[in-house]
Amino acid sequence: QVQLQESGPGLLKPSQTLSLTCAVSGSSMTTDSYYWSWIRQPAGKGLEWVGRIFSGGNTNYNPSLRSRVTMSIDASKSHFSLEMTSVTAADTAIYFCARNNYYFFDYWGPGSLVTVSS
Amino acid sequence: EIVLTQSPDTLSLSPGERATLSCGANQDIRNYLAWYQQKPGQAPRLLIYDASIRATGIPARFSGSGSGTDFTLTISSLESEDSAVYYCQQRSNFIAFGQGTRLEI
């Protein structure tokens, strides 16, 4: 069974860098051909795709966040990561990691709340 | 940029009734559309992909239809557990979701 689990600091100050990691089990990141994505959701609002990374390292980012986002992957350790620089209160959200099967998301982590506050 | 618009924003129905949720795209997206169900405090769950294919383990009362620019998610006989927010999602150069429809049973 495929499982994903997000981890990282839950509280940041404005201008700091957000760093999250997603641990993957049940799906080989070295042999399976999937993209791995980050999606966020501010409280009470809808879903916003942040970006995705392929096992080989190819990335695609949401154009609205591209200048601040970097994703990386360590397929041998079955995890991938998100960094977002210069965070503001507008980046406060639940951050989900998900397996990108072709274009849709078939497995999701439970989510990690990130709060940006001074 | 492809934009998805869902309607209605909120739908209130009774158990046993049929729910019809709509998702419209501003450009032809062929059948590259997925539907998700999200309950409070949970991650979204994939219901439908390629507009009409049920994901693994999804009950048959959930069905999807449409192609091009107009898509529909139908729940044939509502159960109380179907109360949730439903999102559509498309594939394009970058991935985007509709704004969601809240279904209240």
Side-chain angles (χ1 to χ4, degrees):
Chain A
Q1 182 180 358
V2 179
Q3 293 184 317
L4 295 90
Q5 180 66 57
E6 306 89 351
S7 61
L11 181 62
L12 294 171
K13 297 184 185 303
S15 81
Q16 289 186 326
T17 295
L18 178 160
S19 295
L20 293 172
T21 296
C22 181
V24 178
S25 61
S27 181
S28 172
M29 301 183 83
T30 57
T31 60
D32 294 345
S33 298
Y34 297 107
Y35 275 91
W36 303 89
S37 278
W38 289 96
I39 298 143
R40 68 181 185 177
Q41 184 173 39
K45 297 188 177 181
L47 300 164
E48 180 182 34
W49 177 72
V50 175
R52 66 182 183 180
I53 188 165
F54 195 63
S55 57
N58 294 340
T59 55
N60 302 106
Y61 301 131
N62 187 321
S64 69
L65 300 170
R66 182 179 293 139
S67 64
R68 299 193 292 128
V69 168
T70 302
M71 294 179 64
S72 60
I73 189 167
D74 189 336
S76 65
K77 295 183 179 179
S78 292
H79 71 243
F80 63 106
S81 300
L82 169 70
E83 284 201 346
M84 181 181 295
T85 60
S86 305
V87 297
T88 70
D91 296 312
T92 294
I94 296 174
Y95 285 74
F96 297 100
C97 59
R99 191 175 80 169
N100 211 163
N101 186 341
Y102 189 26
Y103 66 92
F104 51 87
F105 305 101
D106 56 358
Y107 292 96
W108 296 65
S112 178
L113 175 62
V114 175
T115 302
V116 180
S117 174
S118 57
Chain B
E1 178 186 348
I2 297 178
V3 177
L4 297 177
T5 303
Q6 294 185 240
S7 62
D9 290 332
T10 303
L11 187 58
S12 297
L13 294 169
S14 298
E17 289 190 306
R18 171 189 294 256
T20 302
L21 288 67
S22 297
C23 178
N26 63 342
Q27 298 179 37
D28 186 345
I29 58 171
R30 298 171 65 179
N31 68 331
Y32 298 128
L33 189 95
W35 290 95
Y36 301 84
Q37 175 194 65
Q38 187 179 32
K39 297 181 179 181
Q42 296 183 16
R45 177 175 70 147
L46 176 68
L47 298 176
I48 301 284
Y49 62 93
D50 288 351
S52 62
I53 300 175
R54 270 191 305 277
T56 303
I58 302 304
R61 66 179 185 275
F62 290 90
S63 63
S65 63
S67 67
T69 60
D70 296 305
F71 301 87
T72 300
L73 174 68
T74 301
I75 310 172
S76 60
S77 181
L78 287 166
E79 300 182 6
S80 58
E81 66 186 36
D82 298 332
S83 289
V85 179
Y86 292 82
Y87 294 95
C88 57
Q89 175 243 324
Q90 56 84 17
R91 158 202 154 177
S92 70
N93 286 339
F94 79 92
I95 293 165
F97 296 86
Q99 83 278 13
T101 291
R102 180 176 303 277
L103 176 60
E104 300 171 343
I105 311 299

